[in-house]
Amino acid sequence: MVTITPEKVLVTSAWPYINVTPHLGNLVGSVLSADVAARYHRLKGDDVLMVSGSDEHGTPIEVEALKEGITPKELTDRNHARVAALFKRWDASFDNYTRTESPVHKEFVQETLMRIFNNGYIFSQETQMLYCEHDQRFLPDRFVEGKCPHCGYERARGDQCDKCGRLLETILLVEPRCVLCGNTPETKITRHWYIDLSRFADQLTAYIKSNKQIPANVRNFSLNWVTEGLKPRAVTRDVDWGIPAPFPGAEGKTIYVWVEAVLGYVSATIEYSKLVGKPEKWREFWFNKNAKTMYFIGKDNIPFHTIILPALLMASGEHYNLPWNVSATEFLQFKGEKASKSLRIGIWIDEALELFPVDYWRFFLIATRPEVKDSNFSWETFIERINADLNDTFGNFIHRTLTFINSQFKGEIPHPQKLTAEDEAILQTVREKVAAITQELEDVKLQAAANTLIGIGRVGNQYLNEKEPWTLVKTDKERAATVLYITAQIVKAIATVSAPFIPSTAEQLWQTLNLGGSVFESRWNEAIEPLEAGHKIAKSKPLFRKIDADEKELDELLVKIREKKTKALNSCGS
């Protein structure tokens, strides 16, 4: 087994833009992956804090609010409540899921940026910005689209290209157009405040190179970004909706959303500490050099977490802990295309829960997590993984074991006779797989860990099929008892190590095993502690059911769910 030593672990997930409901790709790269890690570290006995929040400011919110004819605050109040409720339905175990409209967040952002300004790293200068005469406004970030100057992508946004991942300035876009009216903007002079990232190039390079936890895809992307040359980056925007810029002479300016959003990891920790009546506890996660901070994001957010956030923390002069690990997933595509709500490509997290139980989705998304390359969602793969892995391998083995103990041994774990070499080897294999899952979770290889988990079920299934206790019980009940004792140990191991991935199923199994309390009050190493002979278990119920539908039927069901949702929204608006 891997040596387990309690640690302080801050787990964070990228703050979702709250202009729309997240889709499955958003979820697996951030909240879901973070939750698996947080649940594992809690079971391990670590002091864990999991935080994130709704990203309410910036141009995506303004654009959507204008489309709906409501204020940005009305939009974000509605969407924050809805998305926070959805994350609870996905069993995301946040200690604090907050929002960028939080007074604690606003105060922290303004104080931190003023500290950086006073340290001499933020300066102001006049600059050219795109301006729409038709709408009488400057066009920062999402208010403008055009062709990416680096890769030629036709729908690059004013802040970032979705195709090549480069951060952009609106003035660099080729053939820019206003997203509100479609007109070609002109350029005008305005004044903005900038952080001079170039002054942190050496420190950032050293940090990225020395951080062995950061995955290769994140390290290489970040180093290339620094090597190309860091330039001053604007920290203010010409928009009304946002946190007012605190700098002298910056009246009417607000803080660039990505600068304030990444500082939200700190403010969310501060807010949590205040909420639990321990106002200084947040420092244990941000200044204790033995604490670990883990970030779960999509690959398009890499530079904000490995360049901009570390630079802001360095510039503050406060000696914050820099990100210990930044786990960035590649993209989850749908039928070979990027998710698009307008084109109805993809599955959104509310729709998914209308189709199947949450643990079906949690298992599938983690077991197919796009860790090294983009992956493609298909109903065929989903059905196969749920039916073959969860139902046949996992659920079938557990249900057969427990129902047989109930029917033939009065619901008591059988007393084994002398274990054979094969019995001992099976138990050793399970211990090795638990150790493998432990190491994979430590290394944030979540996809591998989920598939190793299913491997434990395969070991149990194969052993059960070979030994056939339903036949043995008629001729050699003592040997049948030993076989069921062995498989019961495997079921107990599964109850513990499945908890980070499929928490509601793990809890159901824990209660069926009658182990007392909750699986989440237990400890990770209980997976390999024996389930005593004579222990009484409860009646077993199937954990999963096969999906009895084909791809066409599921596509049609998804269409019906969307039509019902559209009808409900229209009736609310009428």
Side-chain angles (χ1 to χ4, degrees), residues 35-55:
D35 185 63
V36 171
R39 287 181 181 277
Y40 160 69
H41 280 282
R42 290 191 193 105
L43 283 165
K44 180 184 161 187
D46 291 334
D47 183 5
V48 177
L49 188 60
M50 179 178 166
V51 300
S52 186
S54 295
D55 191 349

Side-chain angles (χ1 to χ4, degrees), residues 268-440:
T269 317
I270 294 172
E271 184 179 72
Y272 167 81
S273 298
K274 290 182 176 181
L275 289 171
V276 298
K278 299 178 180 179
E280 297 302 309
K281 185 174 176 61
W282 71 278
R283 296 181 177 276
E284 298 173 11
F285 295 94
W286 283 101
F287 296 107
N288 177 350
K289 297 310 171 186
N290 293 319
K292 295 178 177 178
T293 52
M294 304 174 70
Y295 297 77
F296 290 89
I297 62 172
K299 67 178 179 181
D300 51 335
N301 291 338
I302 290 173
F304 300 107
H305 292 79
T306 59
I307 305 295
I308 291 179
L309 174 59
L312 289 168
L313 297 177
M314 291 173 183
S316 74
E318 294 293 293
H319 305 292
Y320 285 97
N321 288 340
L322 301 183
W324 180 77
N325 197 347
V326 178
S327 179
T329 56
E330 303 294 307
F331 290 142
L332 174 62
Q333 297 181 326
F334 300 87
K335 299 182 179 180
E337 298 183 79
K338 187 179 178 183
S340 168
K341 199 147 197 174
S342 60
L343 300 176
R344 297 201 166 189
I345 298 169
I347 301 174
W348 273 256
I349 66 172
D350 55 338
E351 299 170 342
L353 297 181
E354 294 286 322
L355 291 163
F356 296 105
V358 64
D359 278 356
Y360 287 36
W361 289 109
R362 284 181 63 110
F363 166 74
F364 175 80
L365 290 170
I366 294 298
T368 59
R369 185 174 182 255
E371 293 180 353
V372 295
K373 62 180 180 180
D374 292 352
S375 66
N376 190 51
F377 176 88
S378 74
W379 284 123
E380 180 183 10
T381 307
F382 179 79
I383 293 168
E384 179 185 346
R385 294 302 300 262
I386 299 306
N387 287 352
D389 288 344
L390 275 193
N391 187 76
D392 294 350
T393 299
F394 219 58
N396 188 39
F397 161 67
I398 293 168
H399 191 55
R400 284 196 297 168
T401 293
L402 300 184
T403 53
F404 204 73
I405 290 173
N406 273 311
S407 65
Q408 297 297 322
F409 296 93
K410 300 179 181 179
E412 295 179 358
I413 303 301
H415 288 268
Q417 300 303 305
K418 182 175 175 59
L419 302 188
T420 66
E422 185 180 8
D423 297 335
E424 296 284 9
I426 290 293
L427 293 176
Q428 178 58 25
T429 297
V430 171
R431 285 192 289 268
E432 290 171 357
K433 288 193 176 295
V434 171
I437 294 172
T438 306
Q439 190 60 61
E440 286 157 354

Side-chain angles (χ1 to χ4, degrees), residues 127-133 138 171 176 184-189:
T127 185
Q128 288 188 326
M129 295 289 291
L130 296 181
Y131 186 86
C132 180
E133 281 290 348
F138 283 101
I171 201 74
T184 300
E186 60 184 57
T187 58
K188 278 193 174 184
I189 299 296

Side-chain angles (χ1 to χ4, degrees), residues 1-14:
M1 275 295 280
V2 176
T3 302
I4 296 179
T5 305
E7 299 173 302
K8 288 193 177 296
V9 182
L10 178 68
V11 180
T12 74
S13 62

Side-chain angles (χ1 to χ4, degrees), residues 456-470:
I456 296 178
R458 290 196 184 97
V459 169
N461 244 340
Q462 184 176 350
Y463 177 79
L464 199 63
N465 290 337
E466 288 176 357
K467 301 308 173 190
E468 297 184 334
W470 47 88

Side-chain angles (χ1 to χ4, degrees), residues 100-278:
T100 52
E101 271 292 281
S102 159
V104 174
H105 175 70
K106 292 179 178 180
E107 181 182 1
F108 176 76
V109 168
Q110 290 179 321
E111 288 180 353
T112 300
L113 290 178
M114 273 308 298
R115 186 174 291 113
I116 295 172
F117 176 82
N118 291 330
N119 288 345
Y121 296 114
I122 289 177
F123 63 92
S124 71
Q125 67 178 24
E126 289 189 337
T127 185
Q128 288 188 326
M129 295 289 291
L130 296 181
Y131 186 86
C132 180
E133 281 290 348
H134 178 272
D135 293 300
Q136 293 289 294
R137 66 180 302 157
F138 283 101
L139 301 178
D141 306 338
R142 303 291 181 94
F143 276 102
V144 63
E145 287 185 351
K147 187 182 294 183
C148 175
H150 301 287
C151 71
Y153 179 56
E154 294 283 349
R155 295 188 63 189
R157 306 190 307 259
D159 57 348
Q160 188 174 22
C161 175
D162 280 343
K163 187 171 183 181
C164 70
R166 301 285 190 96
L167 297 188
L168 301 174
E169 294 289 350
T170 56
I171 201 74
L172 299 176
L173 288 174
V174 179
E175 300 173 6
R177 58 191 175 275
C178 172
V179 300
L180 299 179
C181 65
N183 291 342
T184 300
E186 60 184 57
T187 58
K188 278 193 174 184
I189 299 296
T190 185
R191 177 169 291 276
H192 277 297
W193 278 253
Y194 295 78
I195 182 169
D196 192 353
L197 294 179
S198 65
R199 294 174 64 180
F200 299 95
D202 291 342
Q203 288 172 265
L204 288 167
T205 299
Y207 154 68
I208 296 165
K209 284 184 174 180
S210 65
N211 192 330
K212 303 304 180 186
Q213 288 73 232
I214 293 181
N217 65 329
V218 175
R219 178 180 294 105
N220 295 337
F221 183 96
S222 304
L223 288 175
N224 288 339
W225 216 70
V226 177
T227 301
E228 287 179 4
L230 296 179
K231 299 176 181 177
R233 182 80 180 165
V235 299
T236 55
R237 286 293 187 263
D238 285 306
V239 294
D240 296 328
W241 176 242
I243 298 176
F247 316 117
E251 294 77 10
K253 309 286 182 181
T254 52
I255 300 301
Y256 174 40
V257 64
W258 261 109
V259 172
E260 56 132 319
V262 292
L263 290 175
Y265 298 120
V266 186
S267 68
T269 317
I270 294 172
E271 184 179 72
Y272 167 81
S273 298
K274 290 182 176 181
L275 289 171
V276 298
K278 299 178 180 179

